[in-house]
Amino acid sequence: PNGIRVNAIAPGVVHTERSMRKNADSYAGDAPAPIVYRRRLASRYPFSVGQPEDIANIVLFLASPKSRMINGAVIPAEGGRSAYL
């Protein structure tokens, strides 16, 4: 009745400087840790590992009049991972 819509974004892994620093240390190998981490992570996401801009684009869409018919949705933004588990 108040014209309020509620939607959610369920992001998967999103590459940020902080996430790369935090997670790369847990991988070891011949290549530098961040490269090994990116390769292993990318192999688990069929379409892509997210970038901050990917999430921002979904937010912008949901905040725009173009999304006026969407309400109560949870939008997965995880590069197809959930479809291929």
Side-chain angles (χ1 to χ4, degrees), residues 51-82:
Q51 298 295 320
E53 297 80 19
D54 298 321
I55 306 304
N57 288 331
I58 298 168
V59 171
L60 290 172
F61 170 72
L62 289 173
S64 77
K66 293 179 181 181
S67 70
R68 67 184 181 89
M69 297 297 293
I70 300 173
N71 184 44
V74 176
I75 300 172
E78 35 70 297
R81 182 160 164 77
S82 63

Side-chain angles (χ1 to χ4, degrees), residues 2 6 10 13 18 22 25 28-29 31 36-37 40 42 45-46 50 64-65 83:
N2 296 320
V6 178
V13 171
R18 181 177 178 181
K22 179 180 177 187
D25 293 339
V36 172
Y37 170 68
R40 288 184 184 173
Y45 285 81
S64 77

